[in-house]
Amino acid sequence: MRLLIIGGGIAAVYLANRAKKIDASLDVVMLSDEAYAPYDRIHLCSLVDESATLQKISLQLDSRVHLELNQKIIKIDKEKKRVFSKDAMFHYDKLVIATGSLPNTPFDISQIKNAAVFRSAEDAKAIKEGIKGREVVVVGAGPIALELLERLNKMEDVRKITLLVRSNFLYDKNLSHESIKLIEKSYTKDKKITISYEDEIIDTVVEDGEIKRLKSKKLEVENPFVVFGIGIKSNIESFRDVLECNRGILTNLFMQCEYDIYAIGECAEVRELGFVAGHVEACVDEAECAAVHLLLGEPKEFTRKTTVDMLKVGEFNLVDVTSVKFSNVYEKVVISSQNSVDEYFLRDKKLLRYVGINSNADIASLQTLMQNESEVAIDELRKNRVDEARGKLVCSCTGVYHNDLVALVVQNGVGTFADLAHFSQAGRVCGRCRGEVVKIIEESQHLIDPSMVQKSPKDVEVEKKVQEAQKRVDKFNKLHPKNQLDESNLEAAMESLEIKNDEVNKWISMVTANMQLHPKFEEVVQKGVKTLNKIPIIWLELSDCSGNSEAFIKSANPSIEDLIFDYISLDYHELLMSASGDESESALEDIIKNQRGEYVLIVEGAVPLGMDGKYLRIGSKGETGIELLKRCAKDAALVVAVGSCAFDGGVVAAVPNPTGAVGVADALGRDDVINISGCPTNPVNIVGTLLYFMMFEEMPPLDEFNRPLWAYEGRIHENCERRGHFDAGEFVKEWGDEGAKKGWCLFEMGCKGAYANANCPTMKFNKGTSWPVQAGHGCMACTEKGFFDKYANERVYHEKNSH
């Protein structure tokens, strides 16, 4: 298949590289209307002052992509799937248009030698050559114009610069007077630059293809060099006749405009959002959505994100963080000092935008506030500062500060910008700070220990996660008031039962491995187990047989997890707690009221909804199960449904389900309930889930039924010790036959292991001694939806034909 890409910018290059990564056999052809291989336009200023070459700012394009230069496409033939330039024709199977944007000018300057826009390498070359010995007039006051102004100010060839501003502001119309004056001061202090506000060109005298005299409302300039930086428009004129266009080529959320044609970047307009990309990150996100959709068939929708811009000019650094919901309707809070300004744009107590000049505000925190649409107080904003020890902000896109980057380089032995990619994306998102990042890496080399052992990015990532988990566990540093046990009680109990350290260590290793964590997590897992009694836990028992609770309180040969469950702070559990009646209800009320947002709710059993829940009443007041569940779940930090009945109703919900029983998640109408299904479930799976919550303060990765992947990802059939007999066609035909004695496969005796996902074969039960199939009985798929009606029998399962 041939993928044809029209364009040579960042979006086009990203998509071409991504396409080759997805399918190396793909024929990818890129058509660029420029004479140069793709480069990063963000660094065009470096070409003007010759601080970088075109090669240095080039974009890395996969060598297997066929690049055609000087190919401006003028026509598309959709029927025959061809595109035409002035002198060539190209066929496509899939077409992606990524032609970017064109700069605006107030009049045609194509034939004028001493006027230019600033959008390409050719423009940079024209400016560099044309400004010599002339007064430069820069028209416009946006980010591009201001950055160019800074470079021109430092060039000896330029004797005088006038910034012509149609309005009365710099950078953005929403900035405060304080910010504008601070920006203006940094430009005009050495008198080389003059800013003329509320001014515009009203006349030009052109002779022999040059502007001899330029006249504005307030000024006259002889023989100038004029640079226009007054905005851009989508480069789509060649496509208006064949594709539906508005401001850009109209696309759906997958960046698709027709079946085999996509548009991405500044030339595209997402119809549903009315959005045209103006930032590198958005262009790349669009390219990712298009690549995944057209090559993998995955419906990955484009979504707008909070944007971060940064302008580093002379004496000031400007950071602009803008929410997707920002508009001109806002209240503003301005906090200013002699050399810094913080501007907060709010609506309904929610932060919509932040602009800071020479500020040490915590940009990452502000982004989070905007993305979460959190309500904020002014005092919180005043305190939202980064420790000065981290130095100045280097990369606003990734929130990396100077000293953070130095530490990263030194700790990991980063030698080059390419090496840094394994540890941080600083300098790579929009690319604006790349030069500064490279300089910091170079200046930090003498701090690196030459004898240090080089760590792989994976090692560094694991160590980082272990440290974060350790900090999280360390937060639980106070004994829970309801629990009189401490670490010494647990160790004494294990010692009295002759559970030795090596047995404990093996158990810790087993739990760590089953949670799919790196072995380096073993130490923090062990510490987490000894800290589990710091988490207040409510255990509700609704409609069930108490099987899961009883599985944890075996009196004979208690295992490590049994002791841990004795050790965990089960503040409320009708079956296990010593208190009863009103005293037990008071304990429950105390937890709900005074430990709001801190306690974990574990629920065992189904929830009857028939007759308004009257099939189940609990406590001295006769509260229904559903009422009790909702009251306890409302302010829980985490809700865990334990066992098959809590998962989907289990045996209680079996046909004809007279009580209208459902699982916990259905009863609450929530999608954040963790399900640990099984009849009963393995205690280790509960311990592991609690440990994960403690260590990472978030849910573990879950499957489609909200079950922890580490426990339910594997299919029982794949890990069964009898799998070899299945492959060999050796099956038990009836109980007690020769096959049964030899341990053959139980599939024909109704084993449902082929349809069930759980870690029973690897985790096992009763101190890891056995599990149903090993004991000689087929799996009943008790971890699956509707298992009692569907699988709980000794017949071979046949999928029902729905027709």
Side-chain angles (χ1 to χ4, degrees):
M1 183 175 80
R2 170 175 279 196
L3 173 63
L4 194 64
I5 303 171
I6 305 175
I10 287 178
V13 169
Y14 178 91
L15 188 134
N17 291 341
R18 186 76 167 93
K20 273 299 190 183
K21 195 169 185 179
I22 293 173
D23 184 356
S25 67
L26 201 65
D27 179 19
V28 181
V29 178
M30 179 182 290
L31 309 178
S32 173
D33 64 358
E34 294 200 48
Y36 311 104
Y39 54 87
D40 193 344
R41 297 178 195 279
I42 283 177
H43 298 292
L44 284 175
C45 285
S46 301
L47 300 182
V48 175
D49 67 4
E50 297 183 306
S51 59
T53 62
L54 194 56
Q55 184 178 8
K56 194 170 183 179
I57 68 169
S58 64
L59 294 170
Q60 192 170 11
L61 180 65
D62 192 304
S63 60
R64 298 168 295 177
V65 174
H66 182 65
L67 176 64
E68 290 276 353
L69 300 175
N70 296 309
Q71 296 294 341
K72 179 175 175 56
I73 300 305
I74 57 176
K75 179 184 175 183
I76 296 178
D77 182 344
K78 294 190 295 182
E79 185 177 343
K80 295 183 178 179
K81 291 191 173 184
R82 298 182 299 185
V83 302
F84 298 85
S85 66
K86 288 183 178 179
D87 53 11
M89 180 272 290
F90 301 90
H91 171 266
Y92 68 86
D93 293 301
K94 297 288 184 180
L95 176 65
V96 178
I97 302 172
T99 47
S101 59
L102 296 173
N104 293 322
T105 57
F107 52 87
D108 185 9
I109 64 169
S110 60
Q111 303 302 315
I112 298 178
K113 300 172 188 175
N114 58 337
V117 289
F118 190 47
R119 196 65 182 163
S120 69
E122 285 295 339
D123 296 333
K125 182 179 178 182
I127 294 170
K128 181 182 70 172
E129 297 298 328
I131 58 178
K132 295 175 181 177
R134 298 178 187 258
E135 178 177 342
V136 179
V137 177
V138 178
V139 182
I144 294 175
L146 292 178
E147 190 172 1
L148 177 61
L149 197 67
E150 163 70 8
R151 298 297 183 105
L152 295 174
N153 191 29
K154 294 179 179 179
M155 295 175 66
E156 294 180 1
D157 290 343
V158 181
R159 55 184 177 81
K160 185 179 180 182
I161 308 168
T162 298
L163 182 66
L164 219 58
V165 184
R166 191 175 185 179
S167 56
N168 59 357
F169 60 82
L170 299 175
Y171 183 74
D172 186 277
K173 65 181 179 181
N174 295 291
L175 284 196
S176 67
H177 178 74
E178 292 91 334
S179 290
I180 292 171
K181 285 301 176 185
L182 193 57
I183 296 172
E184 180 185 311
K185 180 182 176 183
S186 73
Y187 281 113
T188 59
K189 65 172 186 172
D190 61 2
K191 311 299 183 184
K192 187 174 180 178
I193 296 174
T194 301
I195 301 177
S196 183
Y197 291 106
E198 298 182 332
D199 201 359
E200 60 183 317
I201 297 172
I202 58 175
D203 191 26
T204 56
V205 176
V206 180
E207 296 178 5
D208 299 326
E210 287 195 357
I211 299 174
K212 298 298 183 182
R213 184 183 302 111
L214 179 150
K215 186 176 181 181
S216 73
K217 289 180 178 179
K218 300 180 179 182
L219 305 168
E220 281 194 26
V221 183
E222 299 288 335
N223 197 32
F225 190 90
V226 186
V227 182
F228 292 99
I230 54 175
I232 58 175
K233 59 186 177 183
S234 295
N235 182 12
I236 59 173
E237 292 309 311
S238 298
F239 315 113
R240 282 193 179 275
D241 292 341
V242 291
L243 297 173
E244 191 177 356
C245 300
N246 185 31
R247 289 185 298 152
I249 299 170
L250 292 169
T251 76
N252 60 20
L253 292 171
F254 314 126
M255 308 314 299
Q256 184 182 38
C257 43
E258 295 196 3
Y259 175 72
D260 48 17
I261 303 178
Y262 293 73
I264 59 174
E266 293 172 324
C267 71
E269 180 179 351
V270 183
R271 187 195 302 268
E272 189 172 326
L273 305 176
F275 173 75
V276 177
H279 295 81
V280 171
E281 187 174 9
C283 292
V284 170
D285 286 347
E286 289 184 354
E288 173 66 15
C289 291
V292 168
H293 189 261
L294 74 90
L295 295 175
L296 297 176
E298 296 178 9
K300 182 175 182 179
E301 296 183 353
F302 171 77
T303 55
R304 295 181 62 186
K305 298 178 182 177
T306 298
T307 59
V308 183
D309 284 326
M310 193 166 189
L311 184 62
K312 299 183 179 185
V313 179
E315 297 180 346
F316 76 89
N317 285 355
L318 182 150
V319 180
D320 184 349
V321 188
T322 306
S323 162
V324 298
K325 295 195 174 180
F326 175 72
S327 69
N328 292 328
V329 180
Y330 57 78
E331 297 176 49
K332 188 195 287 189
V333 176
V334 179
I335 304 173
S336 62
S337 63
Q338 185 176 359
N339 196 41
S340 69
V341 181
D342 294 285
E343 300 193 23
Y344 299 94
F345 300 76
L346 302 114
R347 185 169 65 240
D348 300 328
K349 296 183 180 180
K350 295 177 181 177
L351 185 63
L352 301 179
R353 187 180 183 187
Y354 164 81
V355 178
I357 300 178
N358 298 337
S359 172
N360 66 334
D362 187 341
I363 302 304
S365 176
L366 295 175
Q367 278 184 276
T368 301
L369 286 175
M370 292 182 198
Q371 289 165 354
N372 296 340
E373 299 186 28
S374 307
E375 289 192 1
V376 295
I378 303 302
D379 288 342
E380 291 176 20
L381 297 175
R382 291 178 183 274
K383 297 174 184 176
N384 186 44
R385 290 290 181 269
V386 172
D387 185 351
E388 291 184 2
R390 294 175 68 186
K392 69 173 184 175
L393 182 65
V394 174
C395 179
S396 58
C397 298
T398 58
V400 171
Y401 289 76
H402 181 278
N403 294 342
D404 297 340
L405 186 55
V406 172
L408 192 69
V409 170
V410 174
Q411 290 169 8
N412 300 294
V414 174
T416 65
F417 182 68
D419 294 339
L420 183 68
H422 299 302
F423 308 100
S424 171
Q425 288 300 299
R428 294 177 185 276
V429 181
C430 79
R432 192 175 298 278
C433 62
R434 176 174 175 173
E436 187 174 359
V437 170
V438 170
K439 186 177 180 181
I440 292 172
I441 293 172
E442 292 172 348
E443 292 176 347
S444 304
Q445 292 304 296
H446 71 284
L447 299 173
I448 298 174
D449 182 356
S451 62
M452 75 177 294
V453 177
Q454 293 292 319
K455 298 175 183 176
S456 71
K458 185 176 180 180
D459 289 337
V460 173
E461 184 65 23
V462 168
E463 288 182 5
K464 182 180 177 181
K465 288 182 178 179
V466 169
Q467 289 170 4
E468 290 172 353
Q470 185 70 59
K471 288 179 183 178
R472 170 78 176 138
V473 171
D474 287 342
K475 284 184 180 180
F476 295 88
N477 56 7
K478 185 178 180 181
L479 187 66
H480 178 51
K482 296 286 183 182
N483 192 335
Q484 300 306 309
L485 298 174
D486 60 20
E487 187 176 324
S488 62
N489 297 117
L490 180 63
E491 291 175 347
M494 289 183 177
E495 186 176 341
S496 68
L497 293 167
E498 298 183 352
I499 297 176
K500 299 177 181 178
N501 281 336
D502 61 340
E503 189 175 345
V504 174
N505 292 336
K506 287 179 182 178
W507 186 86
I508 293 293
S509 297
M510 180 266 294
V511 172
T512 305
N514 273 275
M515 289 175 67
Q516 297 180 4
L517 296 175
H518 193 279
K520 289 183 179 179
F521 275 91
E522 287 184 7
E523 185 177 341
V524 72
V525 167
Q526 186 167 26
K527 188 170 184 179
V529 166
K530 294 178 179 179
T531 315
L532 279 174
N533 68 321
K534 312 296 176 68
I535 303 177
I537 295 176
I538 295 174
W539 186 305
L540 293 185
E541 207 177 336
L542 304 179
S543 290
D544 75 324
C545 65
S546 302
N548 288 285
S549 293
E550 290 176 19
F552 305 139
I553 57 172
K554 302 184 302 294
S555 58
N557 300 318
S559 64
I560 295 170
E561 57 262 29
D562 296 327
L563 289 177
I564 288 170
F565 267 91
D566 285 339
Y567 174 72
I568 288 175
S569 177
L570 289 173
D571 298 67
Y572 181 87
H573 191 306
E574 295 102 325
L575 185 65
L576 302 179
M577 65 192 301
S578 58
S580 61
D582 290 340
E583 187 180 346
S584 68
E585 297 305 305
S586 297
L588 178 63
E589 296 303 322
D590 179 63
I591 299 166
I592 294 174
K593 180 180 178 181
N594 298 317
Q595 293 175 282
R596 185 176 300 165
E598 297 177 4
Y599 65 87
V600 171
L601 175 63
I602 296 178
V603 186
E604 177 182 6
V607 189
L609 299 181
M611 291 180 61
D612 298 322
K614 294 184 178 67
Y615 281 105
L616 175 65
R617 289 191 178 275
I618 298 174
S620 58
K621 297 178 182 178
E623 188 173 22
T624 65
I626 182 61
E627 289 172 340
L628 176 62
L629 173 63
K630 287 183 175 179
R631 192 157 57 86
C632 294
K634 182 174 179 290
D635 295 312
L638 182 70
V639 180
V640 183
V642 170
S644 293
C645 292
F647 173 42
D648 66 349
V651 64
V652 186
V655 175
N657 191 8
T659 65
V662 298
V664 173
D666 284 344
L668 292 173
R670 288 171 53 169
D671 60 5
D672 61 346
V673 175
I674 294 182
N675 292 310
I676 306 179
S677 60
C679 189
T681 189
N682 196 309
V684 176
N685 292 342
I686 302 176
V687 173
T689 300
L690 293 174
L691 283 170
Y692 197 100
F693 172 72
M694 171 183 280
M695 292 190 295
F696 302 110
E697 201 170 8
E698 63 182 23
M699 290 185 178
L702 305 171
D703 68 8
E704 60 180 319
F705 300 120
N706 268 29
R707 303 178 301 188
L709 276 177
W710 57 265
Y712 295 92
E713 186 175 29
R715 191 173 291 271
I716 282 179
H717 181 63
E718 302 301 326
N719 296 305
C720 179
E721 61 262 43
R722 300 182 185 231
R723 173 61 191 270
H725 294 294
F726 175 89
D727 294 338
E730 297 172 341
F731 299 99
V732 176
K733 300 296 183 180
E734 60 180 67
W735 300 120
D737 68 9
E738 284 302 307
K741 294 174 183 177
K742 293 178 179 178
W744 285 3
C745 178
L746 297 166
F747 183 77
E748 293 189 7
M749 297 302 294
C751 179
K752 308 304 189 300
Y755 312 102
N757 285 64
N759 57 358
C760 302
T762 52
M763 185 66 72
K764 301 186 180 182
F765 293 83
N766 300 326
K767 298 178 70 173
T769 57
S770 188
W771 67 291
V773 173
Q774 183 178 343
H777 194 286
C779 168
M780 297 180 75
C782 67
T783 59
E784 301 309 303
K785 279 270 187 181
F787 96 92
F788 199 83
D789 292 324
K790 194 173 183 180
Y791 299 121
N793 54 65
E794 294 181 355
R795 297 183 298 275
V796 175
Y797 177 71
H798 297 287
E799 290 282 358
K800 291 182 180 179
N801 193 329
S802 59
H803 298 292

